[in-house]
Amino acid sequence: MNDREMVIASEADEPCVIDAMRFLAVSSSGALVRALNHLQVSSTTQAGKLKTIAEREIITDAGFFRDTPAQNFWLTFQPAPVNRWFMSRNISALVLCSFALSGVLFATASAEEIVQLPNLAVNEPSTHVDRPSVITLEPGTTSSAAFSDAARQTVGFAVNDAGARGFGQTTTLRGLGNTPFFSDASAPVYLDDIPLASTFTFPSDLYDFGQMTIYRGPQAAAHFGRAADAGVIQFTSAAPGPNDRSNFSLTAGNYQQFSFNASAQAAHHEQWDASANVGTSQRDGYIHNTDLKQTVDDRKAVFGRVRLLYRPAKDLEISLHLLGERSRDGAQALVPLGGPYDEVSRGKEGESDIDFGAVALGITKHLADATITSTTSFSKWDMSPYSNRLVVFGGFDFDSVVTQSQRSFNEELRYVSEKVTGGAFYSHSRTLGGASRTFSGYTIENSNFRQDGDTFALFGQANFTPTPDWLITPGLRVERTNKDFTRNEIVPGTTVINRSNSWNALLPSVTAIRHLDAATDLAFTLARGFKPGGYSAYTGVASLTDFNPQRTWGLEAALSTARAESKWAFTSRAYAYRVEGYQIERSFAVPTTSTDEYLVVNADRAQVLGLEIESSWRPLTEVTIRAVAGLTDVTLKDFTDPFTKVNYSGNRAPYAPSGNAALRIDYHPTSGFFCGAGLTWTGKTYYDEQETAALSQKSYALLDADAGYAFARGSVRLFGRNLTGEEYYSSITPGVYHGTPGAPFTWGGEVNFRW
């Protein structure tokens, strides 16, 4: 029985179809997802019932573990120290030999194929060519650091949290990332169907999204309208079930942390679906000002979202998605490097107020064997004000007041069928900003800027099966980005800078998958990546404002296996990237100016080599063991400081950890006592390309654990994070020799009710 025959047979013989789908779940996750996709398109009540049964029963029986009960503070392990010479000289050999170690497909990656049906995420690729990493987000989890917590569970992904939510934050995927303030993200974020291009707009609280999916590599640009050279990160909603469901959680702990999260989702109806979420989170700061006798980095936010889906006809869907967040925080969490992690002494503190809102309207038309979707979205992000005081250079006060906002309009059109996926994308954004900086009472900068950006893209891919054992998927993206920039300087001089530029990109990709057996695939991918150039808004020298795009060639290989009979799955990937125009942002000593200038420059060439392993095993029904590990070597192959003429070729690029790893063990029966523990490891990170020891964070490990009791309508849980009290910087700001301390040991309790 093939996948389409199931839809026909479902009218008469439900047990027969269920048995066939169970076989597909065990033998071929790709075949099962195609069957489920056809059931999703079918308008029959029986087909919808079968889809629900498949999601609830077959996925669990096949060992795909859709419902991850743990708090997702992964237990990781710290591998033996990696010698730098070994990494730089021998990682190429490891790349070539990695497939002798093992096979692919983290169980959660399989789960993504089965659980994420097209109506859950407008922009989801429809085939099993992609092998993304999936992190299940615990219902009710509310934290101002939820995004970075989730990143620690994902191999090759890092968030350098600068302590002001998204502002000044860098995210890297496989060593490619944004610069702190001015470049675009190398891995844009989608909130269901709403694309976010700038890292400062990325979420900190994660609303009630069901999972985070990482689409790795430049080949993701053939799937998404908004894309870049490292991949795409997508947060997706949980699918509606056969019954109404609601969830309410309360959390409290030390540092006066308190949060609540409430969500409701209506049962799936033929004509409509609906869900809503509202929540709040707050805590006292981790840093104490000994002069003012107050905490510094307090956090407080409220957020909510609504998602509606209406079907006026069997083949037509209209969706509306609204979400927003309002945060009123204390000052950015910054302490002098080398001093206490939890204390500062200064006579003034700042604040950081951020508002974010977004709306998306989608229209989906189901054809006989394809789907056409149009999504129009608008997002608005405002930071006003951001203010801070630092004590620098032996005791001088350095005060900053920054405002920044961004408006973004997006239109995305997609066509999805079993053989062909394609689309068109247009985005217009406007970013406004202003900065006033005072040093020891004297104003040294007063400026404002405006940047308008337009992105046009056509993208698509096709699937070919020359033999039953081979799947070939060529893809192509054509993109043009325009940016117009104006900067007005009032202090130290009165100048106006006007710049404009456009960049074009032709981005081919091809993936070849060899089906070695019913459960094992071998895949090879060659892809071209692109991240546009831009402008540096904090320099008053017109000739220094422009920086060029970052262009990448990527080669990737993966071997995947998922054994349902042993409830074990494993993923091994190796990749090598050649990067032209690697973007670097920092203060530079410019000979023609009296002070350092803060700007972005391009390294002529960089190289990224890496290995990734993801694994999951369920030895018992109640026990789950998950492990991920990866090494990333990002080396500047050709870079000379354009001003000092010092050559930094051979040094590591900033902001990219040398690797990360995670291990989590959970015992979680259907009811009764449960517990889990996790350890995460993050490799050494440099924050400048000079590899300055004082501007680096050595590798560190964080231990988390939780335990509780589950009952029919909820659970009670106690948790602890960073149980060993590890002191580390989650980010370092080189220009002022300050760092953002990572969260200390925290503990708390949570009560969760569901009905």
Side-chain angles (χ1 to χ4, degrees):
M1 179 181 292
N2 62 35
D3 45 12
R4 284 195 177 276
E5 288 170 346
M6 286 182 185
V7 179
I8 300 172
S10 66
E11 299 292 336
D13 192 356
E14 178 181 318
C16 170
V17 178
I18 294 298
D19 288 342
M21 294 180 74
R22 288 182 187 278
F23 170 77
L24 287 177
V26 172
S27 62
S28 171
S29 60
L32 178 58
V33 73
R34 288 192 295 273
L36 290 175
N37 284 343
H38 288 310
L39 290 175
Q40 172 67 23
V41 172
S42 172
S43 61
T44 65
T45 303
Q46 194 77 346
K49 181 179 179 181
L50 289 170
K51 179 178 75 71
T52 301
I53 294 172
E55 290 179 337
R56 185 180 66 248
E57 298 181 4
I58 298 174
I59 295 168
T60 301
D61 290 346
F64 292 130
F65 325 138
R66 175 170 63 119
D67 297 317
T68 304
Q71 198 58 28
N72 289 322
F73 305 124
W74 281 59
L75 214 190
T76 55
F77 59 93
Q78 180 169 354
V82 178
N83 181 274
R84 173 66 193 279
W85 179 90
F86 171 82
M87 286 194 65
S88 60
R89 302 299 197 278
N90 294 335
I91 198 168
S92 298
L94 289 175
V95 169
L96 298 176
C97 298
S98 65
F99 306 106
L101 300 176
S102 44
V104 176
L105 201 55
F106 189 25
T108 52
S110 295
E112 187 274 343
E113 288 188 326
I114 298 171
V115 177
Q116 279 189 271
L117 299 175
N119 68 324
L120 305 186
V122 171
N123 298 296
E124 182 194 343
S126 61
T127 75
H128 68 285
V129 169
D130 304 282
R131 298 296 189 184
S133 299
V134 177
I135 302 299
T136 301
L137 303 174
E138 183 74 5
T141 299
T142 304
S143 166
S144 61
F147 187 32
S148 54
D149 287 343
R152 291 192 183 95
Q153 306 167 25
T154 310
V155 64
F157 183 39
V159 175
N160 297 310
D161 184 355
R165 299 192 185 263
F167 187 66
Q169 174 178 282
T170 60
T171 63
T172 61
L173 179 61
R174 291 182 168 179
L176 302 178
N178 63 291
T179 64
F181 298 110
F182 302 130
S183 79
D184 291 352
S186 280
V189 163
Y190 270 81
L191 304 179
D192 269 336
D193 42 13
I194 301 173
L196 305 176
S198 300
T199 305
F200 57 81
T201 67
F202 288 2
S204 52
D205 294 291
L206 297 183
Y207 304 91
D208 62 337
F209 288 109
Q211 64 186 31
M212 178 181 75
T213 307
I214 310 294
Y215 297 89
R216 303 170 184 276
Q219 61 269 26
H223 302 314
F224 292 88
R226 172 69 70 182
D229 54 344
V232 174
I233 302 165
Q234 186 177 33
F235 293 91
T236 51
S237 302
N243 301 310
D244 295 342
R245 57 190 180 193
S246 301
N247 187 85
F248 178 82
S249 64
L250 285 173
T251 304
N254 62 340
Y255 291 97
Q256 299 298 309
Q257 60 177 305
F258 170 80
S259 68
F260 90 88
N261 194 311
S263 62
Q265 188 171 51
H268 173 72
H269 293 267
E270 276 193 28
Q271 284 196 313
W272 60 274
D273 296 321
S275 64
N277 167 244
V278 64
T280 183
S281 65
Q282 64 182 54
R283 64 163 175 83
D284 287 349
Y286 299 141
I287 303 170
H288 188 259
N289 186 321
T290 58
D291 285 357
L292 299 179
K293 311 299 182 184
Q294 68 179 60
T295 53
V296 173
D297 53 321
D298 299 352
R299 295 287 179 266
K300 185 176 182 179
V302 293
F303 53 87
R305 75 182 189 117
V306 175
R307 187 170 173 84
L308 305 172
L309 184 67
Y310 174 61
R311 303 178 186 88
K314 293 181 178 180
D315 59 352
L316 184 64
E317 295 177 351
I318 301 173
S319 65
L320 179 65
H321 186 192
L322 302 99
L323 71 164
E325 179 177 0
R326 174 185 173 92
S327 64
R328 294 296 180 264
D329 299 339
Q332 182 179 3
L334 289 170
V335 299
L337 296 178
Y341 285 80
D342 59 353
E343 287 184 2
V344 295
S345 298
R346 53 200 185 207
K348 181 182 178 182
E349 285 302 339
E351 61 182 327
S352 180
D353 295 350
I354 297 176
D355 297 312
F356 171 76
V359 59
L361 177 66
I363 301 175
T364 300
K365 174 71 173 178
H366 295 289
L367 307 177
D369 57 357
T371 301
I372 299 176
T373 301
S374 172
T375 304
T376 304
S377 63
F378 174 80
S379 63
K380 176 182 178 182
W381 183 91
D382 282 296
M383 182 181 69
S384 179
Y386 162 95
S387 61
N388 206 358
R389 167 171 288 184
L390 302 178
V391 179
V392 298
F393 309 132
F396 294 97
D397 291 335
F398 180 58
D399 293 284
S400 297
V401 177
V402 177
T403 60
Q404 192 158 305
S405 66
Q406 185 178 88
R407 311 288 187 271
S408 180
F409 169 84
N410 310 282
E411 179 65 40
E412 187 161 354
L413 180 67
R414 291 182 54 82
Y415 172 89
V416 178
S417 70
E418 187 174 357
K419 294 294 185 181
V420 177
T421 299
F425 178 75
Y426 168 72
S427 176
H428 173 77
S429 65
R430 174 170 294 173
T431 304
L432 304 175
S436 175
R437 308 186 198 279
T438 303
F439 183 75
S440 192
Y442 295 93
T443 300
I444 60 173
E445 180 185 356
N446 187 357
S447 65
N448 59 75
F449 73 91
R450 168 176 165 172
Q451 178 174 281
D452 291 289
D454 294 281
T455 297
F456 309 84
L458 299 173
F459 57 94
Q461 66 174 26
N463 298 324
F464 299 96
T465 53
T467 69
D469 295 334
W470 280 96
L471 175 63
I472 310 298
T473 304
L476 182 65
R477 179 185 182 90
V478 180
E479 179 177 330
R480 179 179 177 86
T481 298
N482 306 320
K483 290 185 179 181
D484 299 318
F485 175 78
T486 298
R487 182 181 191 269
N488 296 299
E489 182 177 275
I490 299 98
V491 177
T494 304
T495 59
V496 177
I497 298 174
N498 291 297
R499 313 291 283 185
S500 182
N501 211 338
S502 300
W503 304 276
N504 299 318
L506 182 66
L507 308 175
S509 64
V510 61
T511 296
I513 295 181
R514 173 74 161 87
H515 304 298
L516 301 181
D517 58 42
T520 306
D521 289 345
L522 177 64
F524 299 94
T525 299
L526 176 66
R528 180 72 159 153
F530 169 78
K531 185 175 73 167
Y535 305 97
S536 303
Y538 294 160
T539 176
V541 182
S543 61
L544 302 179
T545 58
D546 304 52
F547 58 90
N548 293 322
Q550 184 171 291
R551 301 179 187 271
T552 304
W553 273 110
L555 179 64
E556 179 179 344
L559 182 65
S560 69
T561 187
R563 302 291 175 179
E565 66 278 6
S566 60
K567 297 185 177 181
W568 173 83
F570 194 90
T571 302
S572 177
R573 305 185 194 93
Y575 57 91
Y577 294 164
R578 176 190 171 95
V579 185
E580 299 170 348
Y582 192 98
Q583 294 165 355
I584 296 173
E585 178 180 307
R586 66 173 172 88
S587 294
F588 288 87
V590 180
T592 58
T593 62
S594 58
T595 61
D596 288 355
E597 295 290 338
Y598 190 85
L599 64 143
V600 179
V601 300
N602 296 90
D604 288 341
R605 186 165 58 90
Q607 175 183 275
V608 183
L609 300 174
L611 298 173
E612 297 171 344
I613 294 174
E614 298 175 311
S615 180
S616 182
W617 180 40
R618 180 170 283 182
L620 301 172
T621 304
E622 302 87 359
V623 178
T624 303
I625 302 173
R626 292 180 176 83
V628 302
L631 297 176
T632 305
D633 183 63
V634 190
T635 303
L636 301 174
K637 304 299 288 186
D638 185 3
F639 177 60
T640 299
D641 186 310
F643 308 108
T644 64
K645 305 305 179 184
V646 177
N647 190 301
Y648 296 109
S649 300
N651 286 7
R652 284 188 59 86
Y655 302 107
S658 60
N660 71 323
L663 174 68
R664 175 141 191 122
I665 303 174
D666 283 296
Y667 169 74
H668 206 296
T670 304
S671 62
F673 173 77
F674 65 86
C675 62
L679 182 70
T680 59
W681 172 80
T682 302
K684 187 171 186 176
T685 306
Y686 288 102
Y687 287 88
D688 67 350
E689 72 279 9
Q690 297 98 318
E691 297 187 348
T692 305
L695 299 176
S696 66
Q697 170 58 54
K698 65 180 182 179
S699 62
Y700 61 92
L702 302 177
L703 177 64
D704 305 311
D706 68 305
Y709 188 87
F711 47 91
R713 291 295 182 182
S715 63
V716 178
R717 185 178 66 93
L718 299 176
F719 62 86
R721 306 179 190 175
N722 191 6
L723 294 177
T724 62
E726 179 76 14
E727 293 185 329
Y728 66 98
Y729 295 113
S730 61
S731 184
I732 291 176
T733 307
V736 291
Y737 269 74
H738 276 61
T740 299
F745 165 58
T746 57
W747 56 266
E750 179 189 75
V751 179
N752 184 282
F753 298 97
R754 57 181 180 270
W755 61 93

